[in-house]
């Protein structure tokens, strides 16, 4: 009998016995062969684990991933005027290919709606709405939409191809200096101003959606969850509604960068993006995510109710410059945050100009200094004139 | 994104399953592979992926198409199912490999999912690859057990169907399955 047969036989014999009698049985059977005993104990241990290992057929377990790929779409396929070159990645709504515009030869990124999503009308509407909304945005820090449409039931968006790496990739290599962070934030804030002005909230700002080129230029990607704000201010559609998060095959966007109002499924406005940007700033400066916990539920709770460790704890130098600004982005109550990207931009500018955000207190001091200096000068002039007059 | 199956792979596959008449099957297997891939996708278009997918139904459909539409002869349905399960293994593992490469930054990561869930699905992909490797090891020690796993896990067959396909008793299938699961899990942890 070969070794595996022996192991198998003992494995089944042990299983026939009561739990507490198994070890004794195996010790007797294995005798001096300690390796055999060890292996059998490990096998029985594995057997006793009641989790989902191989419970479902492989196909069912991996259906969602498989479904993200369109069967008729492969490298070389042509969609409208776009020829697909190679797959780049898979996003919440489908796959993305590096492609080439047949007419101009321009390299682009083509996003293809996952085939099972293309069947639901709401997914198609969302996909086209996203394309239309972003196509209306023209800003150097926003990846441009070049074309969108449908071919034989396949929905696609052609976008500007961005050479570079995402901030989440970049931060793994080395931390950013506070000057770099300021530069990144200023670019994003400027782009957000433009988007918010058009009633478009990004809703999914995170380091993996921000590309950084070698030149330091930033491009915001993937307005995947964008919904156009209807009317003015707070009349946006609810975000964490069932249709966004339980969209078949769609994976819920990361919760780490969500604002409290987003996490609670309330209506959101541009200040939600400000909160997300605050989380990003915090991470770029400290290398940590302020509200990340072990489970999604705990993270939600932390976003909504818990305070975070001050930046000073991890990066003293940056703290002086950013603690106040990040703090104002991360307020739980949107009414207490920066009212707009513009307002946040102004404070960030001050970081550059004065080398530290100017607080109201120091502003007053400066005014008094100027006033004092002027008064003293005036007094001196008067004194000199008086002396002259007396002589 | 999966590559077409090569002749050598087909031969290996048929040898592994001790299937004769290689010449005829060499021609057919790549077609079955494409058909399964196509069906797998169209199944997902029809059914929401959160529903349990019936791999057996899929293989059945492929079988019917090959017998009726393409007029190809099979020794029996079991032969077809055995090959299909093996091909499903290849399709799924190759897919997991390409996802795994992507996740490790093999390509430019534009438009990624969020990291947590990407990491999760990354683990799944990794598990599938590790499982495939462990299963190859098991096949060397005990080929019947690896076939039971292939049919059950990759082919989606029930204990009864697996028993019929391999011409062994259901009890043997159940015992093989239980032992193989424990063995594979240990092998994957090493």
């Amino acid at each position: 009998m070969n070794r595996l047969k022996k192991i198998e036989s003992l494995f089944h014999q042990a299983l026939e016995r009561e739990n507490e009698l198994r070890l004794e049985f195996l010790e007797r059977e294995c005798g001096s062969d300690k390796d055999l005993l060890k292996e059998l104990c490990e096998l029985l241990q594995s057997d006793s684990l009641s989790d989902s290992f191989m419970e479902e057929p492989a196909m069912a377990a991996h259906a969602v991933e498989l479904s993200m790929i369109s069967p008729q779409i492969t490298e070389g396929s042509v969609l409208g005027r776009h020829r697909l070159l190679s797959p780049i990645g898979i996003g919440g709504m489908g796959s993305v290919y590096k492609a080439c515009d047949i007419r101009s030869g321009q390299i682009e990124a083509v996003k293809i709606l996952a085939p099972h999503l293309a069947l639901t009308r709401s997914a198609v509407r969302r996909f086209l709405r996203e394309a239309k909304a972003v196509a209306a945005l023209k800003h150097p820090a926003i990846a441009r939409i070049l074309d969108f449409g449908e071919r034989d039931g396949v929905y696609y968006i052609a976008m500007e191809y961005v050479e570079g790496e995402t901030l989440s990739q970049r931060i793994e290599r080395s931390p950013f200096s506070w000057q770099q962070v300021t530069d990144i934030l200023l670019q994003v804030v400027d782009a957000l101003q433009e988007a918010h002005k058009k009633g478009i909230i990004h809703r999914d700002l995170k380091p993996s959606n921000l590309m950084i080129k070698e030149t330091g230029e930033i491009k915001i990607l993937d307005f995947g969850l964008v919904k156009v704000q209807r009317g003015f201010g707070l009349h946006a559609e609810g975000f964490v509604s069932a249709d966004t998060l339980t969209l078949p095959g769609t994976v819920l966007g990361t919760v780490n960068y969500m604002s409290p109002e987003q996490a609670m499924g309330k209506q959101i406005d541009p200040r939600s993006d400000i909160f997300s940007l605050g989380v990003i700033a915090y991470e770029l400066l400290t290398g940590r995510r302020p509200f990340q916990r072990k489970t999604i539920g705990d993270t939600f709770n932390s976003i909504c109710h818990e305070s975070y460790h001050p930046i000073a704890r991890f990066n003293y130098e940056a703290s002086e410059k950013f603690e106040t600004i990040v703090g104002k982005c991360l307020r739980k109550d949107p009414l207490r945050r920066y009212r707009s990207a513009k307002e946040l931009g102004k404070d960030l500018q001050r970081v550059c100009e004065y080398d530290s955000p100017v607080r109201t207190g120091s502003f007053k001091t400066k005014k008094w200094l100027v006033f004092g200096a002027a008064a003293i000068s005036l007094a001196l002039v008067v004194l000199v004139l008086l002396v002259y007059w007396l002589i | 994104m999966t590559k077409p199956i090569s002749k050598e792979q087909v031969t290996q596959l048929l040898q592994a399953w001790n299937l004769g008449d290689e010449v005829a099957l060499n021609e057919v297997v790549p077609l079955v592979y494409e058909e399964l891939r196509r069906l797998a996708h169209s199944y997902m278009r029809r059914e929401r992926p959160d529903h349990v997918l019936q791999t057996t139904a899929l293989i059945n459909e492929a079988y019917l198409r090959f017998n009726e539409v393409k007029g190809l002869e099979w020794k029996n349905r079991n032969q077809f199912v055995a090959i299909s399960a093996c091909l499903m293994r290849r399709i799924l593992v190759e897919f997991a490999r390409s996802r795994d490469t992507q996740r490790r930054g093999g390509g430019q990561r534009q438009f990624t999912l969020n990291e947590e869930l990407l990491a999760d699905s990354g683990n799944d992909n990794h598990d599938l690859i590790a499982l495939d490797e462990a299963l190859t090891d098991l096949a060397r020690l005990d080929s019947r057990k690896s076939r039971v796993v292939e049919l059950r896990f990759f082919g989606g067959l029930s204990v009864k169907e697996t028993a019929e396909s391999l011409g062994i008793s259901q009890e043997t299938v159940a015992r093989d399955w239980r032992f193989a699961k424990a063995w594979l899990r240990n092998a994957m942890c090493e």
Side-chain angles (χ1 to χ4, degrees):
Chain A
M1 192 155 58
N2 72 27
R3 191 174 169 86
L4 189 77
K5 286 269 175 293
K6 187 171 178 189
I7 291 173
E8 191 193 354
S9 161
L10 288 173
F11 173 80
H12 288 297
Q13 285 180 54
L15 283 178
E16 281 160 18
R17 287 167 166 75
E18 294 292 322
N19 214 345
E20 54 274 19
L21 301 174
R22 286 177 189 169
L23 186 63
E24 190 194 330
F25 164 75
L26 290 174
E27 276 171 347
R28 194 171 58 235
E29 291 292 323
C30 295
S32 60
D33 194 342
K34 293 286 171 225
D35 286 345
L36 185 66
L37 180 66
K38 184 169 169 273
E39 186 162 359
L40 275 159
C41 287
E42 282 169 2
L43 284 169
L44 289 170
Q45 168 82 27
S46 285
D47 182 77
S48 69
L49 295 171
S50 56
D51 59 12
S52 61
F53 181 66
M54 292 175 79
E55 278 301 302
E56 256 186 334
M59 173 107 171
H62 295 269
V64 172
E65 294 171 47
L66 266 174
S67 65
M68 287 293 180
I69 291 174
S70 304
Q72 67 270 53
I73 299 294
T74 51
E75 290 156 43
S77 294
V78 175
L79 285 172
R81 54 172 214 254
H82 316 280
R83 183 187 302 281
L84 306 183
L85 301 175
S86 56
I88 296 173
I90 295 179
M93 295 187 79
S95 46
V96 186
Y97 280 81
K98 184 174 180 178
C100 154
D101 186 314
I102 293 168
R103 279 183 265 170
S104 66
Q106 191 186 6
I107 295 295
E108 9 165 71
V110 170
K111 194 171 175 183
I112 292 157
L113 187 60
H116 66 273
L117 293 180
L119 291 183
T120 71
R121 236 192 279 156
S122 67
V124 169
R125 270 205 307 272
R126 187 177 305 113
F127 188 74
L128 295 177
R129 184 168 56 203
E130 170 192 345
K132 257 186 216 157
V134 187
L137 287 179
K138 290 206 172 57
H139 190 277
I142 296 174
R144 249 175 331 125
I145 295 254
L146 306 165
D147 181 30
F148 59 92
E150 180 254 6
R151 272 297 138 100
D152 306 324
V154 177
Y155 290 84
Y156 64 90
I157 301 182
M159 303 176 143
E160 178 184 358
Y161 181 80
V162 185
E163 203 81 61
E165 56 186 344
T166 67
L167 284 189
S168 59
Q169 289 172 317
R170 170 62 185 75
I171 201 170
E172 277 174 27
R173 282 198 288 116
S174 62
F176 290 101
S177 71
W178 67 263
Q179 289 93 337
Q180 283 172 309
V181 176
T182 318
D183 184 49
I184 291 166
L185 294 177
L186 277 170
Q187 293 183 60
V188 177
V189 160
D190 201 58
L192 284 182
Q193 265 185 61
E194 181 63 27
H196 291 167
K197 209 159 64 189
K198 295 223 156 71
I200 298 168
I201 309 171
H202 189 291
R203 289 170 188 263
D204 195 23
L205 282 177
K206 54 189 175 189
S208 60
N209 269 340
L210 301 174
M211 297 278 295
I212 184 160
K213 300 214 245 176
E214 264 185 42
T215 53
E217 276 174 87
I218 296 288
K219 291 271 183 190
I220 307 178
L221 300 175
D222 214 352
F223 278 68
L225 297 170
V226 153
K227 286 185 177 178
V228 180
Q229 254 186 300
R230 300 245 173 86
F232 188 73
L234 297 170
H235 194 56
E237 297 170 51
F239 169 68
V240 191
S241 58
D243 82 314
T244 312
L245 291 188
T246 58
L247 200 65
T250 309
V251 199
L252 159 68
T254 181
V255 296
N256 279 316
Y257 306 90
M258 266 189 188
S259 66
E261 59 270 28
Q262 240 177 337
M264 286 189 271
K266 292 183 184 168
Q267 293 185 329
I268 65 163
D269 66 12
R271 286 171 292 198
S272 177
D273 280 348
I274 304 256
F275 185 93
S276 303
L277 195 56
V279 180
I280 296 172
Y282 186 96
E283 185 176 351
L284 296 181
L285 292 165
T286 65
R288 284 147 210 275
R289 298 179 186 138
F291 306 110
Q292 183 165 14
R293 300 293 179 271
K294 282 210 176 93
T295 68
I296 289 183
D298 287 351
T299 303
F300 267 137
N301 183 56
S302 175
I303 289 170
C304 296
H305 306 294
E306 291 175 7
S307 55
Y308 57 91
H309 294 302
I311 294 172
R313 187 159 158 184
F314 311 107
N315 183 339
Y316 193 74
E317 189 199 11
S319 147
E320 200 188 316
K321 298 170 179 67
F322 285 97
E323 203 82 75
T324 321
I325 293 179
V326 172
K328 202 165 167 184
C329 291
L330 292 183
R331 297 215 172 115
K332 310 285 184 202
D333 178 0
L335 292 170
R336 298 186 58 228
R337 276 176 225 148
Y338 287 105
R339 275 173 300 175
S340 64
K342 196 173 172 183
E343 218 182 84
L344 167 58
K346 274 187 193 157
D347 268 8
L348 285 168
Q349 280 292 351
R350 290 205 188 112
V351 173
C352 302
E353 285 161 17
Y354 296 105
D355 220 2
S356 87
V358 177
R359 297 195 181 87
T360 338
S362 55
F363 218 88
K364 270 186 188 155
T365 323
K366 255 187 197 157
K367 265 191 194 159
W368 278 112
L369 274 177
V370 173
F371 187 68
I376 290 166
S377 317
L378 190 70
L380 276 173
V381 171
V382 170
L383 191 71
V384 170
L385 285 176
L386 203 67
V387 171
Y388 263 102
W389 184 71
L390 283 175
I391 294 169
Chain B
M1 279 187 208
T2 31
K3 288 178 214 87
I5 191 161
S6 76
K7 280 221 159 161
E8 295 77 43
Q9 286 170 329
V10 173
T11 313
Q12 275 172 13
L13 199 113
L14 297 175
Q15 277 167 353
W17 277 87
N18 294 321
L19 295 168
D21 205 7
E22 277 177 30
V23 185
L25 283 172
N26 267 341
E27 307 292 318
V28 179
V29 169
L31 300 176
V32 178
Y33 178 77
E34 283 312 313
E35 182 68 11
L36 284 172
R37 235 160 66 79
R38 197 190 62 75
L39 279 175
H41 285 296
S42 73
Y43 259 64
M44 284 176 218
R45 287 181 70 120
R46 257 179 283 151
E47 295 181 43
R48 288 170 46 139
D50 48 349
H51 291 187
V52 173
L53 279 154
Q54 296 297 325
T55 323
T56 37
L58 190 147
I59 292 176
N60 229 342
E61 195 175 330
Y63 178 66
L64 291 176
R65 287 181 64 88
F66 270 91
N67 264 2
E68 290 165 17
V69 184
K70 311 209 170 169
L72 293 164
E73 287 287 318
W74 295 86
K75 261 189 215 151
N76 52 45
R77 193 179 163 281
N78 288 345
Q79 185 191 32
F80 184 87
V81 170
I83 289 183
S84 296
C86 200
L87 290 171
M88 286 307 295
R89 173 179 171 191
R90 192 173 293 277
I91 289 170
L92 292 167
V93 170
E94 272 180 14
F95 182 76
R97 279 223 170 82
S98 75
R99 286 295 304 268
D100 205 43
T101 319
Q102 263 172 27
R103 193 178 62 87
R104 289 179 199 177
Q108 179 195 23
R109 249 178 56 183
Q110 203 168 355
F111 310 94
T112 47
L113 298 171
N114 76 78
E115 293 89 60
E116 287 162 38
L117 286 148
L118 197 74
D120 281 352
S121 83
N123 288 339
D124 282 351
N125 289 331
H126 191 69
D127 284 353
L128 205 55
I129 296 164
L131 178 71
D132 179 58
E133 285 162 3
L135 194 54
T136 307
D137 291 343
L138 180 62
R140 273 185 223 119
L141 297 170
D142 187 333
S143 64
R144 191 186 69 203
K145 284 190 184 53
S146 90
R147 277 174 210 171
V148 166
V149 172
E150 217 160 52
L151 290 169
R152 295 268 291 126
F153 187 61
F154 291 101
L157 265 59
S158 67
V159 171
K160 187 164 174 279
E161 290 164 325
T162 308
E164 282 166 14
S165 183
L166 292 174
I168 53 177
S169 73
Q170 288 187 42
E171 208 197 346
T172 307
V173 171
R175 281 166 67 94
D176 276 359
W177 176 243
R178 188 167 184 180
F179 180 76
K181 263 174 47 166
W183 191 91
L184 288 168
R185 192 205 285 269
N186 277 8
M188 284 165 71
C189 291
E190 275 164 13

